[in-house]
């Protein structure tokens, strides 16, 4: 909200500089985002209010005139002026030579110099709005109010500082000059001057006699106040009112509209003026709209209403959309003589929903939706009526209609000294507490030793409980006055977070193995997902979609990380050579079946770790070699990651959508499926614009948790020396090597078996391969003799021959 | 070899001097480990010269046997020592040769080992989490897809609450009774409620995780953000404790020299509400573009947990109080590392990521 300090001065004396005030307000919860200084750079000596004494044609130029101006100095000055609107008798802004102004044409700041214009000496200037930095208007000069005091520094007369405040939604009262003034008064120790709202009701008739108000839906309208003013003459507002309306960020329209806007900005209560003659049967009905009912609003749009919306209707039809916008038919026009002024309290939620549904958030709806006090309705009605009488030549009818079915009671809060200390952590002196609350308009009765009996002023609709008052006290004395202490209570017991711990360990291990972590968006497109997920799976469990997203690129909650990580790899490949190894550890979102979703079940969020490996291995210098990474580079990362958490994966040939058959392995640990490694199918890779071999792996952390190693038990049986022997076996080419290896490891004297070579070709029969294994024999209780080892190997070979037709390589 | 020859010439004079001379010359000529070894085998080995001399003694008169035996043993001792010394001096020569001719250029690049890095947001999040953990907070996590109840209702943000404007929400496109019951959580605060439902005070937890806002992005706004939520509930917890905890966090996270400011702010689920700012990194409080000329940068929203929430959790809100706070990792990382555009984080350009 824009707050003109000049306007604010109507209600409170501000002795602080705009910067100091902005700081105080910020600290108290009204964040001041910016200060606009109007006229801060106007030289008070050189730029003054002037009076145009005389205007004569320029002797040598048709479009120029000579204006003689009294600027408060010893002698009037005659200057050349090119503006079409300069007239004798005007009050204008006059700048003398030496003043800094903005050049009307270039927009640059420049010092005004005496000049000869078409032969006439000119040592000053009648300024335009643009030259003063007030507006972009350079067509004509700025004309001031007729009562502007001649000779006064323009900076005094017209200068202003405007604070741009970011207000929090709990304070509808701050959406008014008076509300800000109350705050300023409380924070600076000043006193608030409430605007006058009493007026002479010259007309004989009583308002209730000429208009009937019925609140048909009191749940949506708690109070409806109306006054009637007759004999109104529509016309422009006086200068001061126009200035206020402009300062508040609105456009002056006419005196009636300006008054309602002015009072709204001043007091925070939106008002609406109806042409009374357009209100059928002089009857106002506040009711829910009928489904499909139509209303053409002030902006000329025909609105189709729903039964959730509240309308102001006359005897026949809606005449306004309550709290949002008036109707075109009852709009104030030149012909209007009698005004029905509405000041009402509507249900915040209803106004909010209506404004949202019709996409017309207005200054009025923004205030109503925060919840206004019903007390304000009467005060605002009277204030506006007073101004209509004074500024629009009207006669107010006597009294007002007040439909207030369930009057609210004043809010009282018993605040204990103990609670205040409990919340704030400091036992404040009673005098300070009372002063703080009183300064904000609360009335406080201290009843020793414990109790503050607090009555909440009507405008503080946000204060309902003791802790609200605690904040008020802290705000006024300043949060910096609250002490700074450390938590002291007992430490709660801590529940283990095994899933998180495992995920973080895997994250560390992937990075330690040489992979770069990426973090990609949780939302993606259906098209991207379809590249890596089979159609039937997408159809059976369609990924969850978000409504009203800002971008169609981020629309579907991903049930897989593959697409995101592959896309990230592709984007980086363009400017990367050597090996590219990326991983992400994040959640995927598996939608529950429809009926479970309907029962309120949330998606299954599972923790995945997905890696993408591609590119060329690097040489001794870290440069890309000719050798492309392969399946085993990807597997190496998986091995490393799992080894770090004490797990050993077993792989088996598998087939998986988007992966190349024959180069895909399912990863399991202790027989449990925990993930997959594979080469991305070239056709799929191509969809990501990757035209080289690319490998992906996926580990499901939730599954790994099921097999995760507990505490590792130290084995101390290294006392007896191991015997290491190499073994070369010829087996069928298609036999998975690890089956041979794990069969060897099952022998009770074998501590470990490692594959260290695979060979096919010369010397090996077609369809066969040679496996080289290094076998470590060791017994926990004795040193093995060479004879024992030889015997063990014999029995191993027999078993391998039987099970796999394995033969010892010659 | 002289061994077999000596056998045939039993009774001949044994010339120790000659043997010694030959052996010494042989040792001097041996200039590598292999030559030394074969010299040792020839001279001192089981079938070596000295051994055969000693074997020949059997046939000699006792006087002779004693004399030659003593001489041969003395020679053996001498040669063994000479061998050791020759070995050492050869090793010395070798090292000297290596040092002289084979020195490495230490300025060449190291043999590349691939270096993986954690994403800067992971690093930042961990650093923040660790600080709170060291203050006795436990870590817990919660779902990212939330119900209206946990994300809003339980936090006192009713359906028509104007605070809903503060957080543009990404709803799951599924409607029930004209409303969207599910959404991507807009903050980590729902976990306050989830945790309190399951636990009794005292409570001290932090909840890190992704949050989502339905808003257009620009250099300072991102629709996916990573937050840490902080919650402490116990008897005797006050605004002063909140200040102390956040103050300590700010000093550790941003440096001891940073100034910290607490001011009033509003969040529906806390009362009183707090905003914590630190003095601007760039201008040190003078005012610049980064801090919008304010000199201060907002870091954290916080406050005392609204007593209504505590009551709703079944706690005695007159007895226990609590505080909550939330902080975004992106913003912190952005500020600390002088990153100009928040969107850099999730673009994942390696040229960016590799700098952390
Ligand atoms: Zn700054």
């Amino acid at each position: 909200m824009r707050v003109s300090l000049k306007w604010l001065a109507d209600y409170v004396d501000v002795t602080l500089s705009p910067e100091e005030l902005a700081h105080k307000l910020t600290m108290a919860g009204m964040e001041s985002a910016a200060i606009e200084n109007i006229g801060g750079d106007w030289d008070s000596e050189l730029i003054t209010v002037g009076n145009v004494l005389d205007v004569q044609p320029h002797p040598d130029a048709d479009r120029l005139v000579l204006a003689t101006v009294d600027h408060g100095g010893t002698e009037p000055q005659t200057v050349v002026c090119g503006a079409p609107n300069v007239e004798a008798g005007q009050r204008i802004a006059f700048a003398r030579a030496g003043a800094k102004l903005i050049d009307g044409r270039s927009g640059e700041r420049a010092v005004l110099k005496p000049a000869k214009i078409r032969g006439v000496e000119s040592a000053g200037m009648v300024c335009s709005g643009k030259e003063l930095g007030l507006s972009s208007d350079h067509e004509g000069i700025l004309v001031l109010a007729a009562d502007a005091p001649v000779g006064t520094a323009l900076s005094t007369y017209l200068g202003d500082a405007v604070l741009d405040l970011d207000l929090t939604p709990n304070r509808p009262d701050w959406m008014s000059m008076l509300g800000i003034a109350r705050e300023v008064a409380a924070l600076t120790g000043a006193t608030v001057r409430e605007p006058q709202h009493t007026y002479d009701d010259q007309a004989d008739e009583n308002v209730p006699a000429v208009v009937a108000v019925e609140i048909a839906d009191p749940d949506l309208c708690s109070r409806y106040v109306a006054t009637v003013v007759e004999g109104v003459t529509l016309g422009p507002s006086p200068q001061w009112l126009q200035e206020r309306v402009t300062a508040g960020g609105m456009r002056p329209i006419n005196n009636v509209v300006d008054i309602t806007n002015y009072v709204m900005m001043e007091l925070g209560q939106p008002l609406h003026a109806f042409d009374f003659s357009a209100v059928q049967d002089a009857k106002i009905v506040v009711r829910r709209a009928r489904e499909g009912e139509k209303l053409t609003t002030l902006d000329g749009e025909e609105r189709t209403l729903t039964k959730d919306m509240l309308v102001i209707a006359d005897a026949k039809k809606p005449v306004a959309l309550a709290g949002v916008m008036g109707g075109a038919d009852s709009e104030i026009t030149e012909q209007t003589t009698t005004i029905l002024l509405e000041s009402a309290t509507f249900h915040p939620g209803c106004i909010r929903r209506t404004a949202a549904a019709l996409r017309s958030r207005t200054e009025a709806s923004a205030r109503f939706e925060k919840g206004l006090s019903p007390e304000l309705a009467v005060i605002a009605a009277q204030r506006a009526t007073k101004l209509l009488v004074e500024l629009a030549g009207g006669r107010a009818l006597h009294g007002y209609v007040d439909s207030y079915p369930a009057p609210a009671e004043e809010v009282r809060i018993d605040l204990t000294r103990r609670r205040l200390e409990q919340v704030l952590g400091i036992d404040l002196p009673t005098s300070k507490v009372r002063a703080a609350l009183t300064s904000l308009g609360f009335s406080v009765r201290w009843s020793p030793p414990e109790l503050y009996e607090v009555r909440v002023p009507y405008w503080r609709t946000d204060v309902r409980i003791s802790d609200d008052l605690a904040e008020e006290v802290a705000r006024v004395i300043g949060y910096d006055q609250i002490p700074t202490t450390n938590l002291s209570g007992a430490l709660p017991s801590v529940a283990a977070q095994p899933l998180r711990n495992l995920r973080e360990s895997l994250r560390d291990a992937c990075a330690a193995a040489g992979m770069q972590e990426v973090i990609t968006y949780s939302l993606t497109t259906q098209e991207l997902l379809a590249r890596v997920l089979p159609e039937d799976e997408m159809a059976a469990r369609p990924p969850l979609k978000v409504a009203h997203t800002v971008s169609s690129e981020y629309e579907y909650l991903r049930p897989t990380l593959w697409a995101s990580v592959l896309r990230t790899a592709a984007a980086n490949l363009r400017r990367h050579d050597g090996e590219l190894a990326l991983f992400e550890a994040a959640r995927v979102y598996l939608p529950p079946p429809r009926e479970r979703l309907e029962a309120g079940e949330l998606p299954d969020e599972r923790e995945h770790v997905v890696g993408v490996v591609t590119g060329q291995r690097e040489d001794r210098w870290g440069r890309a070699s000719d050798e492309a990474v392969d399946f085993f580079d990807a597997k190496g990362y998986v091995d490393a990651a799992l080894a770090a958490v004490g797990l050993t994966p077993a792989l088996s040939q598998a087939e998986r959508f988007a992966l190349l058959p024959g180069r895909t392995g399912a990863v399991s640990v202790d027989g449990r499926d925990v993930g997959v490694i594979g080469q991305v199918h070239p056709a799929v890779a191509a969809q990501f614009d990757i035209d080289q071999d690319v490998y992906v792996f996926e580990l499901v952390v939730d599954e790994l948790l099921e097999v995760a190693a507990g505490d590792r038990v130290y084995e101390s049986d290294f006392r007896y020396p191991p015997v290491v022997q190499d073994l070369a076996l010829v087996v069928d080419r298609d036999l998975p090597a690890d089956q041979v290896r794990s069969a060897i490891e099952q022998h009770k004297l074998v501590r470990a078996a490692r594959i260290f070579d695979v060979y096919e070709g010369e010397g090996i029969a077609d369809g066969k391969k040679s496996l080289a294994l290094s076998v470590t024999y060791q017994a926990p209780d004795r040193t093995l003799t060479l004879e024992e080892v030889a015997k063990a190997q014999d029995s191993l070979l027999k078993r391998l021959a039987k099970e796999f037709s394995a033969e010892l390589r010659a | 070899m002289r061994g077999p020859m000596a056998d045939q010439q039993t009774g001949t004079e044994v010339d120790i001097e000659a043997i010694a001379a030959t052996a010494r010359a042989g040792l001097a000529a041996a200039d590598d480990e292999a030559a030394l070894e074969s010299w040792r085998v020839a001279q001192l080995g089981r079938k070596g010269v000295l051994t055969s001399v000693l074997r020949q003694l059997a046939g000699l008169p006792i006087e002779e046997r004693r004399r030659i035996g003593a001489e041969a043993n003395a020679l053996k001792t001498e040669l063994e020592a000479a061998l050791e010394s020759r070995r050492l001096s050869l090793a010395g020569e070798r090292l000297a040769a290596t040092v002289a001719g084979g020195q490495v250029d230490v300025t060449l690049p190291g043999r590349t080992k691939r270096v993986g890095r954690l994403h800067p947001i992971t690093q930042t999040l961990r650093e923040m989490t660790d600080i709170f953990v060291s203050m006795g907070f436990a870590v817990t996590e919660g779902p990212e897809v939330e119900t209206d109840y946990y994300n809003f209702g339980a936090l006192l943000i009713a359906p028509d609450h104007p605070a809903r404007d503060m957080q543009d929400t990404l709803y799951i496109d599924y409607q029930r009774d004209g409303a969207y019951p599910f959404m991507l959580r807009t903050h980590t605060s729902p976990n306050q409620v989830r945790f309190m439902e399951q636990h009794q005070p005292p409570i001290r937890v932090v909840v890190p995780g992704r949050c989502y806002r339905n808003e257009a992005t620009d250099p300072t706004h991102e629709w996916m953000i990573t937050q840490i939520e902080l919650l402490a509930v116990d008897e005797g917890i006050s605004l002063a404790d909140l200040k102390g905890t956040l103050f300590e966090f700010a000093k550790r996270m941003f440096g001891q020299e940073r100034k910290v400011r607490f001011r009033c702010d509003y969040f529906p689920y806390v009362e009183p509400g707090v905003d914590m700012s630190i003095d601007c990194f760039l201008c040190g409080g003078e005012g610049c573009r980064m801090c919008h000329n304010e000199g201060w940068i907002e870091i954290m929203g916080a406050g005392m947990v609204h007593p209504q929430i505590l009551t709703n959790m079944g706690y005695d809100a007159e007895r226990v109080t609590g505080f909550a706070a939330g902080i975004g990792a992106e913003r912190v990382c952005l500020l600390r590392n002088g990153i100009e555009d928040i969107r850099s984080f999730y673009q994942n350009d390696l040229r960016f990521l590799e700098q952390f």
Side-chain angles (χ1 to χ4, degrees):
Chain A
M1 179 164 137
R2 286 169 55 85
V3 176
S4 150
L5 295 192
K6 200 167 174 183
W7 186 357
L8 192 68
D10 289 356
Y11 317 103
V12 64
D13 294 330
V14 181
T15 48
L16 301 175
S17 72
E19 289 72 22
E20 288 166 332
L21 184 66
H23 174 71
K24 268 207 184 296
L25 292 176
T26 297
M27 296 302 283
M30 268 182 282
E31 194 182 359
S32 170
I35 303 172
E36 190 190 330
N37 250 308
I38 297 170
D41 46 6
W42 297 338
D43 190 310
S44 57
E45 293 289 317
L46 298 174
I47 307 178
T48 54
V49 175
N51 179 23
V52 182
L53 299 174
D54 186 31
V55 177
Q56 293 295 329
H58 189 287
D60 291 328
D62 290 348
R63 297 168 75 181
L64 298 177
V65 295
L66 301 179
T68 305
V69 178
D70 168 13
H71 54 78
T74 46
E75 255 175 58
Q77 217 170 313
T78 300
V79 296
V80 178
C81 182
N85 65 332
V86 64
E87 283 171 23
Q90 282 172 336
R91 296 286 193 277
I92 49 87
F94 187 77
R96 277 179 283 163
K100 270 195 199 114
L101 292 172
I102 293 167
D103 186 282
R105 268 177 297 274
S106 70
E108 303 282 312
R109 219 156 251 295
V111 175
L112 183 63
K113 292 187 186 110
K116 217 173 225 185
I117 301 170
R118 297 269 179 128
V120 179
E121 195 70 48
S122 187
M125 184 187 264
V126 181
C127 303
S128 70
K130 186 172 181 182
E131 282 155 345
L132 293 165
L134 286 175
S135 67
S136 57
D137 187 10
H138 191 53
E139 277 301 292
I141 55 154
L142 180 75
V143 181
L144 305 177
D147 59 355
V150 176
T152 307
L154 191 71
S155 56
T156 310
Y157 177 66
L158 214 54
D160 197 359
V162 179
L163 304 187
D164 188 6
L165 301 179
D166 279 346
L167 301 180
T168 53
N170 58 326
R171 296 295 302 265
D173 62 314
W174 277 348
M175 296 180 83
S176 70
M177 294 304 293
L178 183 61
I180 304 290
R182 287 190 181 117
E183 198 70 25
V184 170
L187 296 172
T188 61
T191 314
V192 173
R193 291 183 289 275
E194 301 261 348
Q196 294 296 310
H197 54 89
T198 53
Y199 53 91
D200 291 336
D201 32 8
Q202 305 101 324
D204 306 329
E205 278 171 303
N206 287 326
V207 177
V210 301
V211 58
V213 171
E214 180 201 339
I215 300 178
D217 288 307
D219 56 328
L220 298 186
C221 174
S222 53
R223 190 173 202 177
Y224 195 99
V225 173
T227 62
V228 174
V229 183
E230 22 170 74
V232 165
T233 312
L234 212 66
S237 303
Q239 187 75 22
W240 72 264
L241 183 55
Q242 294 197 26
E243 278 168 18
R244 292 286 185 263
V245 169
T246 308
M250 296 182 89
R251 209 161 43 85
I253 311 280
N254 59 47
N255 48 6
V256 174
V257 173
D258 292 352
I259 286 167
T260 56
N261 283 337
Y262 172 73
V263 173
M264 172 177 71
M265 291 189 282
E266 180 181 59
L267 301 179
Q269 168 73 51
L271 302 165
H272 187 66
F274 294 98
D275 182 337
F276 192 41
S277 66
V279 177
Q280 281 280 324
D281 298 353
K283 188 175 164 67
I284 290 288
V285 183
V286 186
R287 60 162 169 88
R288 283 183 164 82
R290 302 193 177 99
E291 193 67 36
E293 204 167 10
K294 301 250 196 292
L295 171 68
T296 303
T297 44
L298 280 174
D299 54 3
E301 274 204 47
E302 190 189 60
R303 314 276 187 167
T304 304
L305 310 179
T306 65
K307 60 184 189 329
D308 309 322
M309 298 173 179
L310 190 69
V311 295
I312 312 300
D314 59 14
K316 288 212 165 115
K317 57 180 190 315
V319 290
L321 195 53
V324 179
M325 207 180 283
D329 291 349
S330 55
E331 189 181 358
I332 305 293
T333 65
E334 301 285 337
Q335 282 73 47
T336 304
T337 56
T338 305
I339 283 169
L340 172 76
L341 185 77
E342 163 197 293
S343 181
T345 313
F346 300 118
H347 184 272
C350 171
I351 301 302
R352 188 183 145 85
R353 281 190 299 268
T354 303
L358 298 177
R359 292 174 197 282
S360 53
R361 265 189 107 226
T362 57
E363 289 281 341
S365 73
R367 285 170 171 84
F368 279 123
E369 69 175 40
K370 292 184 176 62
L372 297 175
S373 164
E375 295 302 313
L376 187 57
V378 176
I379 296 164
Q382 291 173 330
R383 171 73 172 153
T385 304
K386 171 188 168 69
L387 294 174
L388 285 170
V389 170
E390 290 173 1
L391 306 176
R395 290 179 308 279
L397 267 59
H398 187 69
Y400 53 89
V401 171
D402 185 6
S403 187
Y404 193 15
E409 285 187 20
E410 185 186 49
V411 178
R412 291 164 186 247
I413 301 171
D414 285 347
L415 172 68
T416 63
R417 185 170 170 173
R418 190 193 145 271
R419 181 64 183 181
L420 207 52
E421 183 182 0
Q422 190 184 12
V423 172
L424 300 182
I426 180 174
D427 185 15
L428 291 164
T430 315
S431 58
K432 264 198 173 175
V433 175
R434 293 181 63 174
L437 291 173
T438 310
S439 73
L440 286 164
F442 294 87
S443 59
V444 184
R445 234 190 80 199
W446 167 241
S447 85
E450 255 300 277
L451 194 64
Y452 299 96
E453 291 169 19
V454 181
R455 284 155 62 190
V456 178
Y458 71 83
W459 61 86
R460 291 306 301 271
T461 51
D462 62 309
V463 175
R464 290 295 175 264
I465 60 168
S466 294
D467 294 7
D468 295 334
L469 292 172
E471 178 178 85
E472 294 306 304
V473 172
R475 234 161 46 79
V476 173
I477 66 167
Y479 276 22
D480 53 345
Q481 297 300 306
I482 303 294
T484 298
T485 55
N486 287 325
L487 282 173
S488 53
L491 284 185
S493 62
V494 175
Q497 293 286 316
L499 184 68
R500 177 183 141 79
N501 294 345
L502 182 58
R503 184 195 64 215
E504 294 307 309
S505 297
L506 289 169
R507 208 196 291 269
D508 281 335
C510 285
M515 306 188 84
Q516 168 67 51
E517 187 189 15
V518 298
I519 298 180
T520 62
Y521 295 111
S522 308
L523 293 172
T524 181
T525 66
Q526 205 164 20
E527 188 271 321
L528 267 172
L529 290 174
R531 294 180 192 173
V532 296
L533 291 177
E535 211 172 320
D536 55 344
E537 199 180 308
M538 291 269 281
R541 279 182 110 177
L544 289 170
K545 181 175 178 287
V546 295
H548 322 296
T549 172
V550 284
S551 161
S552 59
E553 243 192 292
Y554 312 118
E555 209 170 2
Y556 288 87
L557 266 176
R558 56 185 179 180
T560 171
L561 306 182
W562 291 19
S564 316
V565 184
L566 278 169
R567 204 158 81 132
T568 304
N572 279 292
L573 268 181
R574 275 175 233 133
R575 42 177 187 257
H576 191 88
D577 52 22
E579 181 179 343
L580 186 72
L582 307 178
F583 80 98
E584 176 165 23
R587 290 192 188 166
V588 298
Y589 313 84
L590 309 178
R594 192 76 184 177
E595 67 277 6
R596 301 231 300 269
L597 189 76
E598 271 157 25
E601 185 174 315
L602 294 173
D604 185 8
E605 296 181 21
R606 316 203 92 206
E607 301 282 356
H608 282 195
V609 177
V610 164
V612 166
V613 186
T614 187
Q616 309 299 117
R617 289 195 198 122
E618 286 152 23
D619 67 13
R620 177 257 176 276
W621 304 103
R623 285 188 318 171
S625 70
D626 298 337
E627 217 177 24
V629 297
D630 63 20
F631 182 89
F632 301 102
D633 290 272
K635 188 179 174 187
Y637 288 120
V638 171
D639 287 341
L642 292 182
V645 295
L647 299 178
T648 311
L651 270 91
S652 54
Q653 290 291 340
E655 285 195 19
R656 208 56 76 81
F657 185 80
L659 298 184
L660 194 59
R663 297 224 179 143
T664 300
V667 184
S668 64
V669 174
D670 294 348
R672 190 177 191 96
D673 232 350
V674 295
V676 69
I677 308 173
Q679 180 178 349
V680 177
H681 196 289
V684 175
Q687 293 181 55
F688 287 94
D689 289 327
I690 300 177
D691 60 357
Q692 62 191 41
D693 290 357
V694 52
Y695 298 85
V696 61
F697 70 76
E698 175 181 87
L699 294 172
V700 180
V701 187
D702 303 70
E703 296 298 331
L704 282 167
L705 188 63
E706 300 296 323
V707 289
D711 290 335
R712 286 171 224 183
V713 178
Y714 171 65
E715 290 174 54
S716 61
D717 52 38
F718 303 108
R719 269 180 294 174
Y720 301 97
V723 178
V724 181
Q725 288 197 338
D726 291 349
L727 202 58
L729 294 170
V730 176
V731 294
D732 283 349
R733 187 179 177 274
D734 295 337
L735 179 67
D738 200 58
Q739 286 188 18
V740 179
R741 190 198 61 81
S742 58
I744 295 173
E745 265 190 0
Q746 279 165 22
H747 192 283
K748 64 181 194 308
L749 291 183
V750 174
R751 185 178 168 86
R754 271 183 61 203
I755 298 167
F756 68 84
D757 196 20
V758 182
Y759 173 76
E760 282 172 53
E762 210 178 324
I764 302 294
D766 273 0
K768 297 280 181 184
K769 66 185 170 191
S770 163
L771 282 181
L773 293 123
S774 158
V775 183
T776 305
Y777 299 89
Q778 194 178 26
D781 53 352
R782 64 186 189 281
T783 301
L784 290 177
T785 62
L786 288 176
E787 289 71 30
E788 275 180 298
V789 172
K791 226 173 112 192
Q793 185 171 332
D794 273 353
S795 83
L796 265 179
L797 287 172
K798 278 199 193 98
R799 192 179 149 201
L800 295 172
K802 201 169 131 206
E803 222 170 299
F804 305 114
S805 311
E807 290 168 23
L808 202 57
R809 187 173 166 190
Chain B
M1 291 299 221
R2 296 183 52 186
M5 220 165 72
D7 275 344
Q8 290 158 6
Q9 299 170 349
T10 306
T12 13
E13 182 80 0
V14 176
D15 185 351
I16 290 291
E17 272 310 307
I19 291 171
T22 315
R24 286 185 195 116
L27 184 60
D31 58 0
D32 64 13
E33 194 53 45
L36 282 181
E37 183 58 16
S38 54
W39 177 89
R40 187 191 66 79
V41 171
Q43 301 301 328
L44 302 168
R46 274 191 294 162
K47 293 176 180 168
V49 177
L50 274 175
T51 315
S52 46
V53 167
L54 290 171
R55 274 204 201 113
Q56 290 168 26
L57 296 182
L60 293 180
I62 186 93
E63 286 291 301
E64 193 93 337
R65 213 191 307 175
R66 275 204 189 124
R67 183 183 58 81
I68 298 175
E71 280 177 19
N73 274 327
L75 180 60
K76 191 178 180 198
T77 309
E78 179 209 319
L79 290 181
E80 276 169 353
L83 172 67
E84 194 47 39
S85 131
R86 179 75 182 137
R87 249 200 191 117
L88 283 174
S89 88
L90 272 181
E93 279 170 34
R94 262 202 315 277
L95 189 62
T98 308
V99 169
Q103 72 181 14
V104 298
D105 178 355
V106 297
T107 66
L108 287 176
R111 206 171 293 279
T112 306
K113 301 280 182 283
R114 290 185 57 75
V115 177
R117 290 176 179 83
L118 293 175
H119 192 282
I121 291 305
T122 301
Q123 295 182 32
T124 309
L125 197 63
R126 283 199 181 168
E127 202 178 328
M128 298 198 293
T129 310
D130 289 349
I131 292 175
F132 289 123
V133 166
S134 78
M135 294 176 174
F137 286 81
V139 188
T140 174
E141 291 178 352
E144 292 174 23
V145 180
E146 269 294 5
T147 62
D148 192 87
Y149 171 74
Y150 285 107
N151 196 71
F152 289 127
L155 296 165
L156 311 181
I157 311 171
D160 293 317
H161 198 290
R164 290 211 174 190
D165 282 354
M166 293 162 84
Q167 299 172 353
D168 292 321
T169 309
L170 279 164
Y171 291 96
I172 301 293
D173 191 12
Y174 163 73
Q175 292 196 48
R176 200 166 50 198
D177 306 326
Y180 294 105
F182 305 113
M183 71 254 326
L184 296 183
R185 65 179 175 198
T186 55
H187 46 187
T188 38
S189 308
N191 293 291
Q192 285 182 26
V193 180
R194 287 188 176 275
F195 196 85
M196 284 193 279
E197 281 177 345
Q198 304 290 329
H199 299 81
Q200 286 297 314
I203 287 170
R204 278 191 208 182
V205 284
V206 284
V207 192
R210 293 185 181 192
C211 306
Y212 306 86
R213 305 278 167 89
N214 190 18
E215 61 181 24
T217 61
D218 64 29
T220 56
H221 291 90
E222 176 58 278
W223 67 266
M224 182 173 95
I225 50 173
T226 316
Q227 268 197 349
I228 284 197
E229 182 80 11
L230 187 66
L231 175 72
V233 182
D234 198 356
E235 281 181 47
I237 291 185
S238 71
L239 187 62
D241 296 323
L242 170 60
K243 276 185 71 180
T245 304
L246 299 192
F247 189 72
E248 179 65 23
F249 167 79
K251 293 275 171 185
R252 288 206 221 168
M253 193 71 200
F254 302 106
Q256 294 296 324
E257 72 283 4
R258 286 261 84 81
K259 292 198 199 85
V260 180
R261 181 183 87 173
F262 296 90
R263 66 174 200 89
C264 181
D265 203 352
Y266 169 75
F267 307 97
Y269 35 97
V270 291
E271 189 69 46
V274 177
D275 159 280
M276 185 184 82
S277 303
I278 52 174
D279 61 332
C280 179
F281 285 73
L282 211 61
C283 64
E286 291 292 305
C288 70
R289 228 187 51 180
M290 182 155 101
C291 58
H292 304 289
N293 275 319
E294 289 177 48
W296 294 95
I297 293 176
E298 285 177 27
I299 288 294
M300 225 177 198
M304 299 299 292
V305 179
H306 198 288
Q308 186 62 54
I309 294 177
L310 298 177
T311 305
N312 293 349
M313 293 299 114
Y315 300 170
D316 179 355
E318 298 202 350
R319 197 172 60 79
V320 297
T321 46
F323 67 66
I327 182 167
E330 286 80 5
R331 199 165 156 69
V332 167
C333 187
L334 195 92
L335 294 170
R336 290 211 313 180
N337 298 294
I339 297 162
E340 280 144 15
D341 192 333
I342 195 169
R343 293 168 297 188
S344 317
F345 290 120
Y346 304 134
Q347 277 160 4
N348 293 298
D349 187 328
L350 287 183
R351 293 170 298 183
F352 172 81
L353 295 179
E354 282 170 358
Q355 295 186 33
F356 295 91

